[in-house]
Amino acid sequence: KIDIAVIDTSLPSIDGYSLCAKIKSSPEGMIIPVILISSDTDPESELKANNVGADYFLRKPFDMALLTAKAAALVHNTGKIISKASAGEAKNAVPIQKVRKLSESDMSFLERLNSVIDRNISTEGFTARSLADEMGMNYTQFYTRTKDVTGLSPKELLMNQRLEAAMNMLKEGKMNISEISFLVGFSSIGNFSRAFKAKYGVTPSSI
């Protein structure tokens, strides 16, 4: 079982972009998170990574702690989405809501949704409307589909993904709260701590 693929774009026998596209084109590979690392400096390289389905793009040189944390978050979030989809249920901050049995179309939607959130989770200002734009849907359609499939509004889902990724990183204990809040897209530690406590009932420093 492959949990994640970390691929250099400059491989000797095949370029990393092509390998990523090959992985993501198969039914088995489409749910495997892929991180592309590259020494390319041109702006188009990140767009190319996005177009071949990469979940995250990291330029060299990079901090190994950032790569480790991002990989852990991607593995965690992918497993969480698959588990919820297989069980036909979604978890809110407080209740567990039963939703209808998921179709193949729903599963595909969830996989795309998870990929887009993971790719942008570190981006400050990435909102539910930004998420709808990335999914290529108008907001009304996106809200209805997301609520129908997950039991959560897009805003709730995005916040849950950010905070659950943060909880995973906190439990690993490899980074401080400031680094983690930045990695999950919060503009300040104060905002992050308030959102975290609202969801979990404890402060990040207590984990």
Side-chain angles (χ1 to χ4, degrees):
K1 179 178 177 291
I2 300 174
D3 292 319
I4 192 166
V6 180
I7 303 170
D8 195 310
T9 57
S10 302
L11 295 173
S13 57
I14 182 175
D15 75 89
Y17 299 105
S18 299
L19 180 56
C20 178
K22 187 175 182 180
I23 291 171
K24 291 294 189 177
S25 66
S26 70
E28 298 84 6
M30 67 184 299
I31 61 171
I32 296 172
V34 175
I35 296 177
L36 284 179
I37 58 176
S38 177
S39 55
D40 295 338
T41 57
D42 58 287
E44 290 75 22
S45 56
E46 188 166 357
L47 178 61
K48 187 176 180 181
N50 182 64
N51 289 340
V52 297
D55 297 279
Y56 194 63
F57 181 80
L58 195 57
R59 282 193 173 88
K60 300 177 185 177
F62 55 84
D63 186 340
M64 186 57 70
L66 173 61
L67 174 59
T68 302
K70 191 63 187 179
L74 285 169
V75 171
H76 172 74
N77 288 338
T78 299
K80 175 169 55 61
I81 286 291
I82 292 172
S83 295
K84 287 178 182 178
S86 298
E89 56 186 41
K91 201 170 195 176
N92 200 341
V94 180
I96 295 177
Q97 305 181 40
K98 293 288 183 180
V99 295
R100 60 176 172 72
K101 189 69 176 178
L102 299 179
S103 66
E104 286 188 17
S105 175
D106 294 329
M107 291 286 286
S108 177
F109 175 78
L110 280 174
E111 287 161 4
R112 286 181 56 226
L113 186 59
N114 186 56
S115 177
V116 171
I117 291 175
D118 284 338
R119 193 163 60 243
N120 293 281
I121 201 167
S122 300
T123 305
E124 181 186 338
F126 187 80
T127 66
R129 290 189 179 275
S130 306
L131 186 53
D133 291 340
E134 286 274 331
M135 293 289 288
M137 302 171 70
N138 72 54
Y139 188 72
T140 300
Q141 290 176 322
F142 178 64
Y143 181 96
T144 301
R145 183 76 189 276
T146 302
K147 187 80 172 178
D148 181 45
V149 173
T150 70
L152 303 174
S153 71
K155 184 177 180 180
E156 290 169 334
L157 180 65
L158 183 57
M159 180 61 74
N160 271 8
Q161 293 283 74
R162 291 187 192 278
L163 294 175
E164 288 178 11
M167 174 63 88
N168 190 52
M169 291 182 229
L170 284 166
K171 287 179 177 178
E172 288 182 345
K174 295 178 180 178
M175 288 180 292
N176 61 42
I177 294 172
S178 178
E179 291 170 325
I180 291 171
S181 66
F182 173 76
L183 280 173
V184 295
F186 282 84
S187 59
S188 73
I189 297 176
N191 290 338
F192 169 64
S193 296
R194 282 189 289 274
F196 190 92
K197 187 172 183 179
K199 177 173 173 61
Y200 294 110
V202 295
T203 61
S205 59
S206 67
I207 302 301

